[in-house]
Amino acid sequence: MSADNYTFFAPVTFILTGIPGTEESHSHVWISIPFCLMYVATLFGNCLLLFIILTERSLHEPMYLFLSMLAAADLLLSTTAVPTMLAVFWFGAGEISFAACLTQMFFIHVSFLAESAIILAMAFDRYVAICDPLRYTMILTKSVIGKLGLAVVTRSFCFNFPVIFLVKQLKFCRTNLVPHTYCEYMAIVQLACDDITVSIWYGVATAILVIGLDAVLIALSYGLILRAVFQLPSNDARLKAIRTCSSHLCVILMFYTQVLFLIFARRFGHLIPGYILILLANLYVLISPMLNPIVYGLKTKEILKRVINVFHRWCRGSSLLS
């Protein structure tokens, strides 16, 4: 049936129905348990990381300031999506206003692009630290870091304002039921009766151009880093230089592996069951935010030492109170 035969409406609310095929069973409850635990770990790990970096003056260095930006972006990404997801799983409370849906969609995309930009900034930090160590503090001053942080936020907002505009221009006519656990861009766009070619291509182009450009620049940075490392005179110096990059390399692999999974899942979505696509989308807002502070906590001696000190103080305080 052509779009002309539909009655168009301006949606006041959407109804998030959760994961297709599990609505009538108790699967939602069981699925929510690991998601809830992962979210608690995300909140605890990133808040602890921010607390340690902000309260320890010795950690007010470029690498740790960029890490605090990453932790803030992780908190924004997970907190924007996961409470809605858990409300759908636990209470079937899937009703969300159109304005709230657009806001959630916007901040999910903002935090996603911000993470990519912050990872690129961290690659630049490692490049300067290894390839030009004598000028490290001269190049990456607090003023420069502040400007880079502002650029990250500005870029993320500028690329995502058109998303809101495109969705607001769409005409909806079929249903306001969204087969998802949060307001995901493609899930909303596919409910429209308009031609959604522009909306789809803008989303694809943004992902490929912005995330792709970041990935190319990160690869270039690490190519220059590797060249500098292999020019070091001793094996010990090379190993030490590589160790300083190990945490960041783990974060890069986690982030871009998820991006590739999502791109391939969307590209071959007709071959993949709907519930798998939605599970992947749910994991995408939880896996990296949960693992990033763990990776940096375990692989960075300065942070690990201060985490242990925090727990020692907490244990001593608990024993005194008891």
Side-chain angles (χ1 to χ4, degrees):
M1 187 181 293
S2 68
D4 294 336
N5 295 328
Y6 286 110
T7 301
F8 295 114
F9 65 92
V12 177
T13 60
F14 285 116
I15 308 295
L16 299 167
T17 60
I19 300 173
T22 63
E23 301 93 334
E24 302 300 326
S25 66
H26 295 291
S27 300
H28 271 177
V29 176
W30 294 109
I31 292 169
S32 70
I33 294 172
F35 287 153
C36 181
L37 293 175
M38 291 166 72
Y39 182 53
V40 170
T42 298
L43 291 178
F44 178 76
N46 285 288
C47 288
L48 180 61
L49 196 58
L50 282 170
F51 172 77
I52 288 170
I53 292 172
L54 294 176
T55 56
E56 293 285 345
R57 292 188 63 83
S58 61
L59 297 182
H60 292 180
E61 297 177 3
M63 184 178 89
Y64 302 109
L65 294 176
F66 286 129
L67 181 54
S68 67
M69 294 181 197
L70 184 64
D74 284 336
L75 284 172
L76 178 62
L77 176 61
S78 57
T79 302
T80 301
V82 179
T84 303
M85 185 193 308
L86 294 177
V88 171
F89 286 151
W90 289 342
F91 312 113
E95 186 171 336
I96 183 170
S97 70
F98 184 61
C101 189
L102 288 180
T103 303
Q104 184 182 62
M105 186 191 310
F106 177 75
F107 280 106
I108 287 171
H109 283 266
V110 162
S111 52
F112 179 67
L113 289 186
E115 280 206 32
S116 180
I118 293 165
I119 291 171
L120 172 60
M122 294 170 85
F124 177 66
D125 167 77
R126 292 298 84 204
Y127 163 74
V128 176
I130 292 172
C131 297
D132 199 359
L134 297 179
R135 298 179 60 219
Y136 179 68
T137 54
M138 295 171 57
I139 294 172
L140 287 171
T141 62
K142 289 185 178 179
S143 173
V144 169
I145 293 167
K147 289 174 183 176
L148 286 173
L150 181 61
V152 166
V153 173
T154 303
R155 187 188 80 156
S156 301
F157 272 69
C158 288
F159 274 103
N160 281 295
F161 274 123
V163 169
I164 302 303
F165 175 79
L166 289 170
V167 175
K168 284 181 71 70
Q169 299 306 306
L170 293 175
K171 294 185 177 70
F172 296 88
C173 60
R174 296 186 182 93
T175 179
N176 66 341
L177 298 178
V178 184
H180 215 290
T181 54
Y182 59 85
C183 288
E184 195 259 343
Y185 177 62
M186 289 306 301
I188 300 299
V189 165
Q190 288 170 353
L191 296 179
C193 295
D194 284 344
D195 181 1
I196 60 173
T197 304
V198 173
S199 299
I200 291 174
W201 275 108
Y202 183 80
V204 172
T206 301
I208 292 174
L209 292 176
V210 179
I211 307 297
L213 178 62
D214 288 351
V216 169
L217 292 174
I218 290 168
L220 178 62
S221 296
Y222 270 95
L224 295 172
I225 287 170
L226 285 174
R227 188 181 70 173
V229 166
F230 287 122
Q231 289 175 350
L232 293 173
S234 67
N235 285 331
D236 288 341
R238 291 172 195 158
L239 287 173
K240 183 178 179 181
I242 290 171
R243 282 195 202 101
T244 63
C245 298
S246 60
S247 300
H248 186 236
L249 285 170
C250 289
V251 168
I252 291 170
L253 288 173
M254 286 189 298
F255 181 81
Y256 285 101
T257 299
Q258 286 189 102
V259 170
L260 287 174
F261 266 114
L262 285 170
I263 290 172
F264 280 111
R266 286 296 174 195
R267 175 64 182 83
F268 301 103
H270 59 287
L271 301 175
I272 302 172
Y275 69 91
I276 296 293
L277 292 175
I278 294 175
L279 282 173
L280 287 173
N282 290 344
L283 290 172
Y284 136 74
V285 299
L286 277 169
I287 292 290
S288 286
M290 179 186 70
L291 292 180
N292 286 344
I294 295 174
V295 167
Y296 271 95
L298 292 176
K299 287 187 167 288
T300 309
K301 289 181 181 178
E302 292 82 359
I303 292 177
L304 182 59
K305 182 171 74 174
R306 283 160 180 82
V307 169
I308 293 170
N309 288 340
V310 167
F311 278 104
H312 278 170
R313 288 201 298 268
W314 181 77
C315 291
R316 283 200 300 269
S318 298
S319 61
L320 288 173
L321 289 174
S322 59

